[in-house]
Amino acid sequence: MNETANAMTTETTTPAAAVPAQSSAEPKDLVSKAVCAALALFGRPQTPPGWRLTMKGVFLVKPGKGDNGPTYERITTAPLVITRVLTDPTGIQSVELAWTVQGRAVRHVIPHETAKRGRELVKALGALGLPTSESFASSAEKWLLAYEDQNSEVIPRVQLRRWLGWQADGTFLATPEGADFQPAFDEQVRAAAGHRPRGTLEGWRKGAAGLELLPVPRLCIAGGLASPLLRPLGVGSTAVDVAGYSGRGKTTAGEAGISTFMDPLETGGAAYSWASTLYKVEERLNLVRGLPVLLDESQHIKPDDRSRVGELLYMLPTNRGRARAKGWNSGLEWECVVISTGEQSLLTMSVHQGLSARVHRVEGDDPFPNAESANAARAAFSQNYGHAGPAFVAKLAECMAKAGGLERLRARHAELAAELVGDNPIAARRSRTVAVFALAEELAHEWRILPYSPMKPVQWLALFAASSESDNRPEQALNVVREHIATRMHELWSKTAEGMASAGYGRVPTQWLGAHTTRDGERRVAIRPQAVEEWLDRAGYELAAVQGRWVADGYISTSTEKKTGKVRARQKVRVGDGTAWMLEFTAAGFPLGEAADSE
């Protein structure tokens, strides 16, 4: 920069004759045709008073003293102008600057405020060939301000896109190519570049045809195509969890899903990893409004981050990220279907059962039966991608543009959701999002985008089987308690316990764990609440989070306070010569044999 500054300083002040003149046929206040042609300027902008703009650069005109003519201070070594003003959906402006390098036009978009701060301007664009130096930063700043003011009615003003997918004006942007697009964060640039087409739709369809008998890859493709449906149907973002042992084709299935809109390979930039920080994951989600996002390698989620991943998954359907302070970007927005792959299930990130309704864990067989079929799919989708999704959106836009189109679409979704309720509460809560996947597959088949027939509701229910092992968090917590009770039965008080201990059949614990009880003719066990809380805490559960469900399922009994009428999930139980409030497990909660005593 110093060399450039020195070189420019030697020609700072030159006589008027040395400044290239415009054609005598052109008005002096108009930018020359040569500059307009070189920078492809819109209309015929004017040069503000006190300045000269030629192919040799920008010159500050300094009036001469006395009879001396004006002198010209050269502040750039090539023409430099503002070609467009871009406004994003929040009203924040950017400007496109243009200059020439060896006769070739160069363009860059920067924040408007940067163009008004000379040193920041040079710092931002100096390495990109900006034809000035820090020595002239103040003058360059003043030139751009004067040029913009003089040509405020000539410089085009356009809408700047900050994300991909559904825009504020109702249009859909599937790729940044050819659009006025600049992501909100620098880290999003590479991911955005991965949203581009390659190959042909027909080549993609041939690859998809090989998945007809493979429900998991088909689900991922349906998830990719379902992403644009979330907003029209009023459904929040959701996640598909394809987890299992390594080498089963999980990543390839996820790649098939995002190939609908983007380059599916990690090298393409669009695919992302759980190995990134959670803040970066939120930034990746923030790039899209109606597109799928692949997050691979769930096994790399650190143990200390699991609770925060669980929090992120809880917030996923709200379409808004975590609130932050101290200058961090807060409440980042998104709309997407997250396809998560890896060896670690997302359901292990939280002990709360509500996560099961937000994360659709895939049950059943491996995604691909063998390596050959997985490799064939990857080869097809790595050569043909980014066509199916835009084709789907185009048909969707046609559908919604028709009279009553959106209403019919929503009615169809509601019918599918009713068929996908299943036989348990988790499946019922999932039904609306699963119905989006099912509807996407039906529409893509009808619109001749998918080469196979859509799956039936029973097949969708089988994919997302809400088993007690993977989804029922209160049941999992109860199993933890059952294991502890079963191995510590000798610590439960009964009428015969002390007599048996004195006879040498056992010992009297220094602190009883609980007691045997009999209520309503049923033998039960009662346990100290503090002990249950400790067991659950060590296993990663919270008693308060599961206790209500235990009561509803009849696993623990309740009592009513005489004074207040308040119902409590506790019973007053005799232990030795005293009584204590305990959690009393019914026969459904902890089945007993013939060894129980009456109270």
Side-chain angles (χ1 to χ4, degrees), residues 17-332:
V19 180
Q22 293 182 198
S23 169
S24 58
E26 296 183 274
K28 291 186 177 181
D29 60 340
L30 292 180
V31 175
S32 70
K33 291 182 179 179
V35 172
C36 289
L39 299 178
L41 299 184
F42 179 81
R44 286 298 299 277
Q46 294 180 335
T47 302
W51 299 87
R52 288 291 301 276
L53 173 62
T54 73
M55 288 299 294
K56 292 291 186 179
V58 176
F59 296 81
L60 175 61
V61 181
K62 294 184 176 182
K65 296 180 180 180
D67 296 332
N68 296 325
T71 58
Y72 300 87
E73 182 180 17
R74 191 181 189 190
I75 64 171
T76 71
T77 58
L80 171 67
V81 297
I82 294 175
T83 54
R84 294 188 301 166
V85 176
L86 305 96
T87 306
D88 74 7
T90 65
I92 296 177
Q93 290 186 343
S94 300
V95 291
E96 181 185 70
L97 300 186
W99 62 88
T100 59
V101 175
Q102 295 180 344
R104 179 179 58 86
V106 177
R107 303 175 189 277
H108 286 284
V109 175
I110 60 172
H112 207 165
E113 61 179 330
T114 301
K116 297 178 179 180
R117 297 176 179 176
R119 290 189 176 183
E120 291 188 16
L121 172 66
V122 173
K123 183 177 180 180
L125 298 178
L128 299 175
L130 185 73
T132 190
S133 68
E134 192 169 350
S135 300
F136 301 94
S138 178
S139 297
E141 166 194 322
K142 293 174 182 177
W143 155 249
L144 292 175
L145 180 63
Y147 181 87
E148 182 181 6
D149 179 62
Q150 184 73 21
N151 298 286
S152 59
E153 297 182 2
V154 178
I155 298 174
R157 296 179 179 271
V158 298
Q159 189 72 28
L160 179 64
R161 314 293 185 173
R162 289 293 196 186
W163 58 77
L164 299 174
W166 291 113
Q167 304 296 313
D169 59 2
T171 59
F172 194 95
L173 183 65
T175 175
E177 293 183 352
D180 294 314
F181 177 82
Q182 186 179 57
F185 308 103
D186 292 340
E187 292 78 4
Q188 296 175 332
V189 172
R190 184 169 183 268
H195 292 71
R196 62 182 185 275
R198 181 183 178 184
T200 64
L201 175 59
E202 188 57 33
W204 184 90
R205 292 181 78 253
K206 289 180 180 179
L211 309 179
E212 183 172 4
L213 302 179
L214 305 177
V216 175
R218 284 183 56 170
L219 158 67
C220 293
I221 287 178
L225 295 174
S227 301
L229 286 172
L230 295 176
R231 179 178 292 191
L233 298 177
V235 178
S237 300
T238 189
V240 173
D241 183 21
V242 185
Y245 295 113
S246 179
R248 306 295 176 87
K250 302 179 300 298
T251 299
T252 303
E255 291 172 348
I258 66 170
S259 71
T260 51
F261 282 96
M262 64 199 80
D263 186 340
L265 300 183
E266 185 179 1
T267 54
Y272 217 61
S273 171
W274 281 112
S276 305
T277 64
L278 287 181
Y279 181 71
K280 297 301 181 185
V281 169
E282 285 191 31
E283 282 190 351
R284 176 63 184 88
L285 301 183
N286 174 250
L287 177 63
V288 297
R289 308 285 195 281
L291 291 164
V293 174
L294 173 61
L295 294 175
D296 195 14
E297 300 176 323
S298 60
Q299 67 273 14
H300 290 312
I301 299 175
K302 299 176 182 178
D304 292 343
D305 288 338
R306 289 181 182 176
S307 61
R308 285 185 291 167
V309 171
E311 179 185 350
L312 171 62
L313 295 172
Y314 255 85
M315 294 187 296
L316 193 62
T318 69
N319 293 338
R320 184 178 291 272
R322 183 180 179 184
R324 293 180 173 87
K326 297 182 180 179
W328 292 94
N329 291 299
S330 179
L332 299 181

Side-chain angles (χ1 to χ4, degrees), residues 4-27:
T4 305
N6 292 336
M8 294 179 65
T9 302
T10 60
E11 53 181 357
T12 295
T13 304
T14 59
V19 180
Q22 293 182 198
S23 169
S24 58
E26 296 183 274

Side-chain angles (χ1 to χ4, degrees), residues 447-459:
W447 294 336
R448 302 184 181 228
I449 296 172
L450 284 178
Y452 44 72
S453 299
M455 290 190 286
K456 301 184 184 309
V458 65
Q459 292 174 283

